[in-house]
Amino acid sequence: MPNVKVFDMAGKEVGEMSLSDKIFGAEVNAAVLHAAVRAYMLNQRQGTQSTLTRTEVSGGGKKPWRQKGTGRARQGSRRAPQWVHGGIALGPKPRTYRTDLNKKTKRVALFSALSDKVANGNLVILDDCKLDGYKTAEIAKMFKALGLNKDVEKKFKDGDEIKTRTENVACKTLLVLPEADKYVVKSCANIPTAATTLYSTINVYEILNAEKLVITRAAAEKLQEVYA
C-alpha cells in the first residue's frame, strides 16, 4: 500500500495515511484513459447545430428563367445551394454525440488517473478543509502552504511598452470533498485555477485536467470504502 503524508490547512504534516493499491497503486492504462476522456468530452456536446436545406429556406417558388434559349445554365430554384441565400448542401443537423463506457472500463480509468497522480507526486492528502465563512484568502493561503503555487510570467502594458512580471499563482488544482460545503466551494470558485468536486462525482477528465489533486482524508476513506 502506498503511504502518503497528511497535511493540515496550514501546510503542516500531521500524520500518514495508507492508500489502497487497487485504487491508488494500479497500473496506468493510457488507452482506457484516452477512451474515458474522449467519452466525457463527447458527452459535453449539445449537438444542436442545424442548417437549412433547400426545402427549408424561404422563397424559390418561381423558376429563375426559362429552361432553354437563354445561353445560361438551367436553374429550377433560387434556393438551390449554389445561389446566394440558398439552402446548405450536406450541412449539419441536430444529432446526439452521446457515448458511454461500461462500468469496468470506467473504474479502470478512474484508478489509472488516481494512480498516475500518486506516482508523479501530484496527490496531496488534506486532513480536513473547513471554513466558517466565504474566505477565498484562506483557500489561497492553504494552497500556498501546501506548495501548490507556481511562478508565472505575465505581460502587461506600461504606456507604449510591453513588460513582463512574475506572479506567484495557484496551479490548476482539484479539491475533492467528502460532502458539499458551500463555504469551501464558493471560496474556491473565486480562484480561477481551482475547482472542487465530491468523491462521489469525481471523473477522470477532472483529475487529468488538474496539475495537483487535493483529497481530504475523509474523501479518500470514502473512495476506498466504495471502490476497494
Side-chain angles (χ1 to χ4, degrees):
M1 287 188 175
N3 290 328
V4 294
K5 297 178 180 179
V6 180
F7 299 90
D8 62 12
M9 293 183 67
K12 295 180 181 179
E13 185 180 340
V14 294
E16 285 191 351
M17 181 178 182
S18 295
L19 300 177
S20 170
D21 280 332
K22 179 181 177 182
I23 301 174
F24 296 95
E27 182 181 352
V28 178
N29 191 321
V32 173
L33 285 176
H34 175 268
V37 171
R38 179 178 178 275
Y40 175 85
M41 297 187 74
L42 283 174
N43 292 339
Q44 303 308 301
R45 299 188 66 173
Q46 293 183 339
T48 55
Q49 72 279 17
S50 182
T51 54
L52 300 180
T53 65
R54 62 185 295 167
T55 63
E56 296 170 317
V57 293
S58 61
K62 180 182 177 183
K63 187 174 175 65
W65 49 75
R66 60 195 175 98
Q67 183 82 345
K68 296 179 177 292
T70 64
R72 290 179 289 185
R74 55 192 176 189
Q75 300 292 328
S77 171
R78 292 183 185 273
R79 298 293 81 115
Q82 71 269 23
W83 286 78
V84 176
H85 304 304
I88 303 298
L90 307 177
K93 282 294 186 181
R95 54 165 290 194
T96 176
Y97 292 90
R98 182 75 191 176
T99 186
D100 202 4
L101 302 174
N102 61 56
K103 187 176 181 180
K104 184 176 179 180
T105 303
K106 288 179 180 179
R107 289 199 172 191
V108 171
L110 178 61
F111 298 164
S112 292
L114 292 172
S115 299
D116 177 69
K117 291 299 182 187
V118 175
N120 292 297
N122 293 324
L123 175 71
V124 177
I125 300 295
L126 189 64
D127 187 45
D128 198 8
C129 187
K130 293 291 184 182
L131 296 175
D132 56 2
Y134 301 110
K135 298 180 179 178
T136 301
E138 289 293 322
I139 296 294
K141 185 179 178 181
M142 179 187 75
F143 286 160
K144 187 173 183 179
L146 293 172
L148 305 181
N149 283 20
K150 63 180 180 180
D151 292 330
V152 177
E153 286 191 355
K154 292 190 176 182
K155 294 182 179 181
F156 67 99
K157 194 171 183 180
D158 185 11
D160 294 331
E161 295 184 40
I162 302 296
K163 297 182 179 179
T164 60
R165 62 175 175 232
T166 302
E167 294 184 6
N168 188 255
V169 298
C171 58
K172 294 179 74 172
T173 303
L174 178 65
L175 176 59
V176 184
L177 303 171
E179 56 188 16
D181 186 324
K182 63 179 182 179
Y183 295 136
V184 175
V185 171
K186 289 193 175 182
S187 295
C188 282
N190 289 328
I191 302 176
T193 55
T196 58
T197 188
L198 301 179
Y199 82 94
S200 57
T201 59
I202 192 171
N203 65 70
V204 174
Y205 178 83
E206 289 179 326
I207 297 172
L208 296 180
N209 188 47
E211 296 176 63
K212 299 290 184 179
L213 180 64
V214 180
I215 306 180
T216 64
R217 186 199 292 266
E221 289 174 349
K222 288 189 176 183
L223 269 173
Q224 296 187 128
E225 181 182 343
V226 171
Y227 293 108

